[in-house]
């Protein structure tokens, strides 16, 4: 901008704009200059020129020096705000509109001088808001409640905001319970308005004092066809609790949330869980609400746990060999001389392995697999080391090396499958069938190994797997049939390889099971249309009178009417060609778009695809031990422990879903433009 010939400034004007923190005003004769403190460039400093050109210069100048200039753009907005809010996270939608501040991006720069720091203006301090913000921080990040009593924390807060009264951990506990109550009502409302069914996975936790806990998590697909999960309860089990009392604890939790009538499937973390628990849950639902039927409540067991169980059989069988490999790696890592010696031997036998030797973490089986795999690459070098180094006492025999090679090949397959199943925190149920079928086929092949050591080990693995397969194969198949890329074809493909000559009978069992489930949804849909059932209730509802002598009439009416009507949703869906396979396919989006075409089948798909086929978080996929609470958590009162764990899950899920929806909106905008 050109310099203007302003008249001589008779009276200095107060510099109120924030841009003057970055410019020095210099007057020479009758001309006023604004000199940039960052690049020394001279611009017009006349009051008639305003400050827009100065702001524009700063945008260019400060960007070149990686300075965050977003604060310059939001100065006017900040003056109107009384409090600050975290960007992208809304903890309490019920807060007053004026309590929310717009996101503020402030970058920490240790090189910025004190007089260059832009003042945020006079903000109104709110003790109650700050108290709740502190409680949310503790919940969200899992900090101990006692941190508010730490001297360092108190000093930090006093220097940051002297007006803030740091409460004791007891007061913070009350604040956490207050937040828990508000967030719980949000979750309850979301579950109450849900039109579909709810699937619950149940997982046991433990403490170092051997206390037991029960974690109940709801999984469901909402009206916008988004898969969601929420922890409902984290119950501390009394020492007097027995296995046969678990069903009572579970049903009480479900009734507390009023979702027992919406239950579709229950997933347990362990195949050894008593089969009678699900039957007792069905009976108690029918007893407590006789006008509802438990219907076809699915009993599912965690796929990740069965993988861990069969891996444990393999690692236990190879325990002595693994112990020697661990000792060999430890010996090599004990000195630089030993490492150089092994490298020399590796060169002599032509080994050029890209994998380095590393010790495993015994409780994480993937590290054990990777350790054995790396050691196998140096087998020839270890054999020479055995001949030339008398101090090396962990040498393996040729037979042990062969065992390690075979078992490592098995573990590699299981490792790859586990990675697929743990790639997403919220997997739809259709993902599991091909992976589990691959495990089944591999176990059948491994049983043919002529080595007694290997065949005995694999037989134990297959016994555990068969128990899981017999219980869950229908649930797995139902989910993949509802994947339009596969339908019945993938079941036919795998079953022909697994069962051979009896495959047709097995395929018919799956087909009949799917039709039976669909018929239940058809009956429920008819009753909803007639007003005698509510959507989302268990399948199917019946008359309120438990002594009704015409209980089977609704089913008879549906079946006889169906034969005279058009082709059903299921038949139409199965008869149409499969959808082409591609990497970008989103099954939930597909069903969302095709709901008008398959109104009844889409109801069934929503519930089946939302069934949790695994209860393990991705971070715990390869951990062989049980889920453990730390000592601080296990020392808490049961009520506050449940509040902290549940609320943390709700806040984290809300934040992740907000980020996901924002990313999807941006992607759609980019695609449209």
């Amino acid at each position: 901008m050109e310099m203007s010939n302003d008249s001589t400034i008779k009276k200095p004007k107060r510099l109120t704009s924030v841009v003057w923190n970055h410019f020095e005003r210099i007057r020479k004769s009758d001309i006023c200059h604004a000199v940039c403190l960052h690049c020394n460039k001279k611009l017009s400093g006349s009051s008639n020129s305003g400050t827009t050109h100065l702001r524009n210069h700063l945008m260019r100048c400060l960007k070149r020096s990686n300075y965050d200039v977003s604060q310059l753009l939001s100065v006017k907005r900040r003056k109107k705000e009384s409090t600050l809010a975290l960007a992208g996270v809304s903890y309490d939608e019920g807060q007053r509109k004026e309590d929310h501040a717009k996101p503020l991006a402030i970058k920490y720069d240790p090189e910025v001088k004190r007089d260059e720091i832009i003042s945020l203006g006079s903000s109104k301090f709110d003790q109650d808001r700050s108290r709740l913000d502190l409680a949310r921080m503790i919940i969200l990040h899992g900090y101990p409640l006692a941190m508010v009593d730490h001297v360092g924390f108190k000093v930090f807060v006093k220097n940051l905001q002297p007006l803030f009264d740091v409460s004791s951990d007891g007061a913070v506990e009350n604040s956490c319970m207050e937040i828990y109550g508000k967030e719980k009502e949000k979750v309850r409302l979301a579950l109450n308005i849900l039109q579909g069914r709810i699937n619950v996975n149940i997982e046991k936790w433990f403490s170092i004092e051997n206390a037991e806990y029960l974690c109940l998590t709801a999984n469901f697909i909402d009206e916008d066809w988004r898969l969601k999960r929420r922890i409902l309860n984290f119950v501390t089990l009394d020492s007097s609790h027995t296995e046969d009392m678990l069903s009572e604890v579970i049903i009480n939790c479900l009734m507390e949330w009023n979702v027992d009538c919406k239950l579709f499937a229950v997933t347990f973390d362990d195949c050894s869980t008593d089969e009678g628990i699900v039957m007792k849950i069905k009976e108690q639902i029918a007893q407590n609400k006789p006008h509802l039927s438990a219907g076809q409540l699915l009993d599912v067991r965690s796929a990740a746990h069965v993988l861990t169980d069969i891996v444990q059989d393999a690692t236990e069988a190879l325990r002595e060999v693994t112990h020697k490999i661990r000792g060999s790696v430890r010996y090599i890592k004990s000195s630089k001389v030993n490492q150089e010696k092994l490298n020399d031997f590796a060169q002599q036998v032509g080994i050029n392995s890209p994998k380095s030797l590393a010790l495993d973490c015994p409780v994480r089986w993937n590290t054990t697999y990777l350790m054995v795999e790396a050691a196998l690459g140096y087998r020839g070098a270890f054999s020479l080391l055995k001949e030339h180094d008398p101090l090396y006492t962990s040498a393996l025999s040729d037979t042990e090396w062969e065992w390690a090679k075979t078992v490592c090949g098995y573990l590699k397959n299981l490792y790859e499958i586990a990675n697929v199943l743990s790639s997403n925190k919220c997997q739809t149920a259709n993902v599991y069938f091909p992976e589990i079928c691959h495990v089944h086929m591999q176990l059948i092949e491994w049983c043919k190994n002529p080595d007694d050591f290997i065949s005995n080990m694999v037989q134990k693995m297959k016994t555990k797997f068969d128990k899981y397969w017999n219980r869950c194969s229908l649930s797995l198949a139902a989910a993949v049939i509802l994947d339009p890329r596969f339908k019945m074809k993938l079941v036919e493909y795998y079953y022909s390889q697994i069962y051979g000559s009896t495959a047709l009978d097995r395929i018919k069992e799956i087909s009949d099971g799917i039709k039976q489930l669909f018929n239940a949804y058809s009956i429920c849909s008819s009753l909803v249309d007639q007003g005698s059932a509510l959507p989302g209730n268990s399948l199917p509802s019946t008359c309120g009178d438990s002594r009704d002598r015409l209980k089977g009439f609704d089913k008879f009416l549906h079946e006889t009417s169906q034969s005279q009507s058009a082709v059903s949703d299921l038949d139409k869906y199965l008869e149409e060609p499969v959808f082409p396979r591609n990497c970008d396919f989103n099954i939930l989006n597909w069903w969302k778009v095709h709901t008008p075409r398959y109104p009844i089948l889409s109801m069934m798909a929503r519930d089946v695809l939302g069934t949790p086929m695994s209860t393990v978080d991705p971070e715990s996929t390869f951990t062989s031990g049980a889920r453990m609470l730390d000592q601080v958590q296990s020392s808490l009162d049961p009520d506050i422990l449940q509040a902290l764990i549940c609320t943390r899950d709700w806040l984290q899920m809300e934040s992740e879903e907000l980020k996901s929806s924002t990313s999807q909106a941006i992607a759609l905008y980019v695609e449209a433009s």
Side-chain angles (χ1 to χ4, degrees), residues 577-591:
V578 296
F579 191 80
R581 288 199 305 128
N582 61 74
C583 299
D584 298 328
F585 179 75
N586 186 314
I587 189 170
L588 297 183
N589 283 347
W590 191 93
W591 277 105

Side-chain angles (χ1 to χ4, degrees), residues 391-409:
L391 298 179
Y392 173 51
T393 59
S394 300
L396 281 72
S397 66
D398 290 339
T399 301
E400 288 173 329
W401 278 116
E402 287 301 317
W403 288 345
K405 180 180 178 181
T406 301
V407 174
C408 187

Side-chain angles (χ1 to χ4, degrees), residues 211-224:
E212 295 185 14
Y213 308 86
L214 208 61
C215 181
L216 275 73
T217 305
N219 299 260
F220 56 92
I221 295 175
D222 66 10
E223 296 309 300
D224 201 32

Side-chain angles (χ1 to χ4, degrees), residues 92-326:
D92 188 356
E93 294 178 357
Q95 290 174 332
R96 298 187 305 274
K97 185 176 181 180
E98 59 268 25
D99 284 346
H100 287 282
K102 296 183 179 179
L104 180 65
I106 299 178
K107 183 186 295 182
Y108 172 70
D109 187 349
E111 300 301 324
V112 177
K113 298 177 182 179
R114 187 180 187 88
D115 58 356
E116 291 178 344
I117 299 176
I118 298 178
S119 172
L120 295 179
S122 57
S123 298
K124 180 182 176 182
F125 173 69
D126 188 335
Q127 169 68 26
D128 192 53
R129 174 71 178 272
S130 299
R131 171 182 61 84
L132 292 176
D133 284 344
L134 173 61
R136 288 191 187 97
M137 180 191 74
I138 289 174
I139 293 171
L140 192 58
H141 300 289
Y143 296 143
L145 295 173
M147 71 172 289
V148 297
D149 293 327
H150 297 171
V151 175
F153 179 76
K154 288 184 175 181
V155 171
F156 168 74
V157 171
K158 277 299 178 186
N159 290 332
L160 187 67
Q161 176 51 269
L163 296 177
F164 182 51
D165 180 20
V166 181
S167 307
S168 64
D169 59 346
V172 173
E173 183 176 306
N174 292 334
S175 299
C176 292
M177 293 300 294
E178 180 182 343
I179 295 171
Y180 168 67
K182 291 180 179 179
E183 295 298 325
K184 184 174 182 179
E185 286 307 308
K186 287 188 197 176
V187 177
R188 188 189 301 277
L189 177 62
L191 296 178
N192 285 342
I193 65 176
L194 187 68
Q195 292 297 308
R197 312 280 294 287
I198 291 174
N199 305 285
V200 175
N201 62 275
I202 300 168
E203 188 177 15
K204 268 194 175 183
W205 286 57
F206 298 87
S207 71
I208 57 176
E209 294 87 6
N210 291 325
E212 295 185 14
Y213 308 86
L214 208 61
C215 181
L216 275 73
T217 305
N219 299 260
F220 56 92
I221 295 175
D222 66 10
E223 296 309 300
D224 201 32
W225 285 89
R226 293 173 299 184
L227 180 60
K228 294 187 175 182
R229 55 176 294 274
R230 295 289 187 272
I231 292 180
L232 299 182
N233 297 90
F234 196 88
V235 183
T236 303
L237 297 178
D238 189 84
S239 57
S240 61
H241 268 95
T242 57
E243 284 289 325
D244 58 351
M245 297 172 65
L246 283 180
S247 58
E248 184 177 349
V249 174
I250 294 169
I251 198 67
N252 286 340
C253 291
L254 297 175
M255 292 179 66
E256 175 194 352
W257 287 92
N258 195 31
V259 296
D260 49 322
C261 58
K262 292 186 174 184
L263 196 60
F264 177 73
V266 179
T267 304
F268 290 94
D269 59 351
D270 192 352
C271 283
S272 62
T273 304
D274 186 7
E275 298 179 8
I277 290 180
V278 175
M279 291 302 301
K280 290 179 181 178
I281 292 175
K282 289 182 180 181
E283 292 171 359
Q284 290 189 47
I285 290 176
Q287 182 178 353
N288 295 329
K289 297 190 177 183
H291 63 288
L292 295 174
S293 167
Q296 309 211 7
L297 181 63
L298 297 184
D299 177 12
V300 183
R301 301 303 157 101
S302 173
H305 276 83
V306 75
L307 284 180
T308 301
D309 284 347
I310 63 178
V311 165
Q312 283 181 333
D313 285 332
T315 54
E316 178 60 27
L318 204 66
R319 182 166 52 87
E320 293 184 7
V321 176
T322 305
H323 179 72
K324 288 185 177 181
I325 292 176
R326 193 177 292 119

